[in-house]
């Protein structure tokens, strides 16, 4: 009989840009158990926030994660606006929607590239990232930065879209759609990609609910749950339906993300068409007091912010629950029984973001 | 110029390690490897193996746990080697500098040759720094060869 072996996977791995660590208990080629090792990226953000001024914490929240920095700033601003009873001007709400969808697009395209890299499909990785640069151009042109944009603030947004920027957006969206269509076709038709993903990392509908999956992981298992349906920012006034796939494997989760890219392009076009006139920022006075919970849909799933404030200049408690944390138990469930070669693909299929998880 | 020295100059391989921080700089480093910014035109290839690497790119702030991994990676790289700290987090700790578990800068863990501030570092700045790294690598290689012969 062959005994068990323990194989360390990570923390430095060519496929992941982040230090992600597994201790895989193996029997021959099968994974018996997977123990995640975390703490490589802990920065103590929650504690730092209780020492900073609440207005500056916005920048800290933005730096929880560089890939979805906009989403974190949005969640923080929305929470404080609820606490301080601020009514955001309608134009600002639409701008937030547009930028949030751009952030989703760039995050999904980034993931698509990394997934292609995990299959060993280098040219597709390059193509996905080439297409992503159209989105980055739009982000840079309209928000003034590529990664850290600080365009959301408490009470509205810091920048307005002028005519030229809207034209630029529409033009680039067309280019993006053409480029993305090609990538989409390869992903959905290529037999090699199907071979690596179909039937790999099964997460049944019951398991996904029981283990608390969120976002594309949950929607890939046939549950139509999308926090955007709650109607924060301007989502309540736009038309869309959650993207759902029900084959419950890595392929389904991949297709959900691919289709969400088209959905985001569509949402941006809708929002530009309906963009109201007016101010984008209202003045906010006073200090926050009370408790609030905000839920928004990040590219990876539901993001939950809990904030408790006591009327002083810094917050009393700042708690973030990120989608990857919710998706870790389902991931551990999926990895058991998988082949060693499938571990990177399955791990990527939930779109891990360690920077968020460990904060 | 010997073959080894030529290969150092024409094809330095990169090893990227994210020690903490927010990933913002990490994705910019990756963006540099892809068609729009494309550092591969200088012969640079991203590798996952420290034993093949000449240039170590560090992004993000260093805590005790990731510092250990960082030192480990650094010591596995063959001489001569160059370390680049990308982003203000890796240079000084940035916005997280007074957090309870961080070292202020990657240079507390390993020697750093080139610093790129900014949050997040722009791809143009990263390209500039890797080009500096090539020159530095050549210089270090020359003194390394002289010591050996
Ligand atoms: S320097 Fe800024 S963008 Fe880069 S890792 Fe640190 S916080 Fe993130």
């Amino acid at each position: 009989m062959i005994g068990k072996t323990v194989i360390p996977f990570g923390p430095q791995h060519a496929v992941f840009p982040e230090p992600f660590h597994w201790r895989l208990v193996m029997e021959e080629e099968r994974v018996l158990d997977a123990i995640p090792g975390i703490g490589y990226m802990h920065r103590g953000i929650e504690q730092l926030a209780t020492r900073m001024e609440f207005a500056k914490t916005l920048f800290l929240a933005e730096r929880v994660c560089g890939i979805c920095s906009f989403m974190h700033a949005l969640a923080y601003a929305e929470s404080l606006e609820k606490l301080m009873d601020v009514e955001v001007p309608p134009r600002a709400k639409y701008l937030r929607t547009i930028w949030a969808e751009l952030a989703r697009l760039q995050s999904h395209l980034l993931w698509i590239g990394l997934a292609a890299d995990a299959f060993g499909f280098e040219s597709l990785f390059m193509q996905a990232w080439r297409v992503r640069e159209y989105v980055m151009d739009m982000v840079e042109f309209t928000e003034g930065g590529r990664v850290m944009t600080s365009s959301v603030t408490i009470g509205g947004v810091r920048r307005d879209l002028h005519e030229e920027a809207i034209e630029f957006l529409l033009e680039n969206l067309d280019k993006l759609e053409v480029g993305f269509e090609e990538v989409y076709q390869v992903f959905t038709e290529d037999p090699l990609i199907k071979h690596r993903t179909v039937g790999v990392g099964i997460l049944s509908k019951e398991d996904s609910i029981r283990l608390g999956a969120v976002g594309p992981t949950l929607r890939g298992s046939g549950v139509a749950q999308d926090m955007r349906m709650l109607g924060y920012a301007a989502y309540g006034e736009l038309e869309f339906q959650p993207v759902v796939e029900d084959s419950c494997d890595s392929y389904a989760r991949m297709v959900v993300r691919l289709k969400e890219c088209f959905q985001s392009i569509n949402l941006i076009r809708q929002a530009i068409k309906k963009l109201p006139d007016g101010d984008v920022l209202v003045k906010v006075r006073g200090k926050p007091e009370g408790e609030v919970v905000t839920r928004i849909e990040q590219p990876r799933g539901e993001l939950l912010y809990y904030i408790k404030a006591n009327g002083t200049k810094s917050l009393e408690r700042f708690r973030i629950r990120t989608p990857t944390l919710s998706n870790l138990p389902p991931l551990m469930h999926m990895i058991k029984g998988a082949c060693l070669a499938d571990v990177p693909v399955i791990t990527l299929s939930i779109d891990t973001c360690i920077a968020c998880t460990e904060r | 110029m010997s073959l080894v020295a030529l290969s150092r100059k024409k094809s330095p391989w990169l090893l990227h390690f994210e020690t903490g921080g927010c990933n913002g700089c990490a994705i910019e480093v990756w963006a540099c490897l892809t068609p729009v910014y494309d550092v591969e035109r200088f012969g640079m290839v991203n590798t996952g193996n420290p034993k093949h690497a000449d240039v170590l790119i560090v992004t993000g702030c260093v805590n005790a746990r990731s510092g250990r991994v960082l030192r480990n990676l650094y010591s596995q790289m063959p001489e001569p080697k160059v370390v680049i700290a990308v982003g203000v987090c890796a240079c000084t700790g940035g916005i997280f500098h007074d957090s309870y578990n961080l070292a202020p800068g990657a240079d507390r863990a390993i020697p750093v040759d080139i610093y790129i501030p900014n949050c997040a570092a722009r791809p143009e700045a990263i390209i500039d720094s890797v080009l500096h790294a090539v020159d530095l690598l050549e210089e270090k290689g020359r003194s390394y060869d002289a010591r050996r012969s």
Side-chain angles (χ1 to χ4, degrees):
Chain A
M1 201 192 99
I2 299 177
K4 290 177 193 163
T5 22
V6 178
I7 298 187
F9 177 92
Q12 188 264 339
H13 192 281
V15 170
F16 302 104
E18 311 166 281
F20 187 71
H21 185 55
W22 281 120
R23 285 163 60 85
L24 301 171
V25 183
M26 311 280 303
E27 195 180 63
E28 295 184 11
E29 273 290 291
R30 296 269 150 211
V31 181
L32 288 186
D33 200 5
I35 305 153
I38 54 174
Y40 291 97
M41 294 182 86
H42 181 64
R43 283 154 279 156
I45 285 186
E46 290 180 357
Q47 198 260 359
L48 261 183
T50 58
R51 286 192 275 145
M52 267 188 174
E53 261 176 61
F54 75 90
K56 286 185 188 164
T57 306
L58 183 80
F59 302 108
L60 191 66
E62 205 177 11
R63 280 158 182 81
V64 170
C65 171
I67 304 174
C68 34
S69 60
F70 187 88
M71 301 292 188
H72 283 279
L74 178 61
Y76 185 77
E78 294 249 339
S79 320
L80 280 197
E81 280 151 12
K82 274 192 221 158
L83 271 186
M84 298 162 84
D85 281 328
V86 180
E87 185 52 41
V88 180
R91 189 175 171 91
K93 285 189 180 167
Y94 272 82
L95 291 182
R96 283 178 178 187
T97 312
I98 293 173
W99 287 331
E101 287 311 311
L102 280 178
R104 191 180 318 279
L105 267 174
Q106 67 97 354
S107 169
H108 278 350
L109 281 165
L110 181 146
W111 177 84
I112 288 164
L114 291 184
D117 200 26
F119 307 141
F121 208 150
E122 184 110 358
S123 58
L124 191 56
F125 162 63
M126 294 290 177
Q127 288 303 331
W129 280 64
R130 182 182 61 83
V131 173
R132 179 174 174 268
E133 287 296 327
Y134 291 130
V135 187
M136 298 313 279
D137 283 348
M138 288 191 254
V139 171
E140 194 170 359
F141 196 92
T142 55
E143 298 181 63
R146 279 169 61 92
V147 177
M148 293 299 155
T149 57
S150 302
S151 37
V152 180
T153 183
I154 302 163
V157 293
R158 274 207 186 83
R159 289 163 195 275
D160 201 352
L161 279 192
H162 44 83
E163 277 306 311
E164 210 182 320
I166 290 180
E167 259 169 48
F168 185 83
L169 275 181
L170 289 172
E171 215 173 275
N172 262 270
L173 279 178
D174 292 339
K175 280 193 216 160
L176 172 70
E177 203 171 16
V178 174
F180 183 67
E181 192 79 49
E182 286 168 15
V183 175
Y184 179 76
Q185 267 176 10
V186 179
F187 260 99
T188 46
E189 284 166 17
D190 191 277
L192 287 176
I193 291 182
K194 283 197 176 157
H195 188 73
R196 288 300 302 273
T197 51
V198 173
V200 172
I202 300 274
L203 180 70
S204 67
K205 190 170 174 177
E206 292 73 43
D207 281 342
S208 70
I209 296 172
R210 182 173 59 87
L211 296 167
V214 293
T217 314
L218 184 61
R219 293 197 282 278
S221 294
V223 184
Q225 192 203 50
D226 190 329
M227 288 305 137
R228 284 178 286 178
M229 301 305 269
L230 294 176
Y232 64 90
Y235 287 112
E237 294 155 38
L238 304 177
E239 275 168 39
F240 69 101
Q241 284 300 321
V243 181
V244 183
E245 286 288 321
D246 38 34
S247 59
C248 302
D249 52 6
S250 303
Y251 186 70
R253 296 190 276 279
M254 191 177 82
V255 172
V256 167
R257 293 202 180 88
L258 289 163
K259 288 193 177 155
E260 276 186 3
C261 290
F262 287 117
Q263 186 188 42
S264 296
I265 297 176
N266 182 359
L267 277 171
I268 297 173
R269 288 209 179 111
Q270 278 187 42
I272 290 180
K273 209 174 274 166
K274 287 193 180 169
L275 193 64
D277 288 331
D279 277 347
V280 293
L281 186 60
V282 288
K283 263 221 150 54
V284 180
R285 286 208 177 77
K287 305 236 162 65
E289 190 160 12
E291 279 179 292
V292 69
V293 170
T294 309
R295 299 194 295 168
I296 72 166
E297 182 77 15
Q298 224 194 5
R300 290 162 183 77
E302 173 197 334
L303 171 70
L304 187 141
Y305 263 53
Y306 166 81
I307 288 176
K308 187 174 177 191
N310 52 6
T312 54
K313 74 180 191 351
S314 33
L315 307 175
E316 193 180 331
R317 181 80 174 96
F318 180 46
R319 171 89 182 103
I320 310 170
R321 198 197 66 184
T322 59
T324 307
L325 188 72
S326 323
N327 279 336
L328 271 181
L331 176 63
M332 283 161 70
H333 174 76
M334 285 186 262
I335 276 197
K336 278 175 203 159
C339 277
L340 181 59
D342 287 335
V343 171
V345 175
I346 297 176
T347 310
L348 264 179
S349 81
I350 70 154
D351 198 356
T352 47
C353 176
I354 306 302
C356 286
T357 315
E358 299 179 353
R359 301 180 296 281
Chain B
M1 198 182 273
S2 75
L3 196 60
V4 175
L6 189 69
S7 72
R8 251 179 233 141
K9 185 168 182 232
K10 293 290 181 192
S11 180
W13 282 21
L14 310 178
L15 174 71
H16 167 232
F17 184 59
E18 163 84 24
T19 47
C22 79
N23 271 348
C25 292
I27 55 175
E28 293 296 62
V29 169
W30 280 63
C32 282
L33 298 166
T34 53
V36 175
Y37 293 100
D38 196 20
V39 295
E40 270 182 35
R41 66 196 140 128
F42 306 115
M44 292 165 191
V45 182
N46 185 28
T47 168
N49 188 342
K51 294 184 177 105
H52 296 168
D54 303 298
V55 179
L56 173 61
I57 298 183
V58 184
T59 54
C61 35
V62 178
N63 60 24
R65 209 172 146 101
S66 62
R68 210 161 55 224
V69 181
L70 186 64
R71 269 191 293 272
N72 195 344
L73 286 174
Y74 179 78
S75 56
Q76 285 184 53
M77 283 169 63
E79 289 282 345
K81 50 195 166 191
V82 175
V83 180
I84 310 177
V86 172
V88 70
C89 275
C91 296
T92 62
I95 192 166
F96 311 112
H97 68 279
D98 61 351
S99 174
Y100 54 81
N101 70 334
L102 292 180
D107 48 7
R108 301 293 164 106
I110 56 172
V112 175
D113 299 294
I114 300 172
Y115 298 83
I116 320 176
N118 211 351
C119 176
R122 288 194 58 88
E124 288 87 350
I126 298 175
I127 294 176
D128 194 33
S129 74
V130 285
L131 289 180
H132 276 297
V134 174
D135 293 339
L136 209 57
L137 200 63
E138 205 188 345
E139 215 173 277
K140 282 192 176 184
R142 229 179 284 132
S143 62
Y144 175 73
D145 290 343
R147 251 184 291 138
R148 290 233 326 209
S149 58

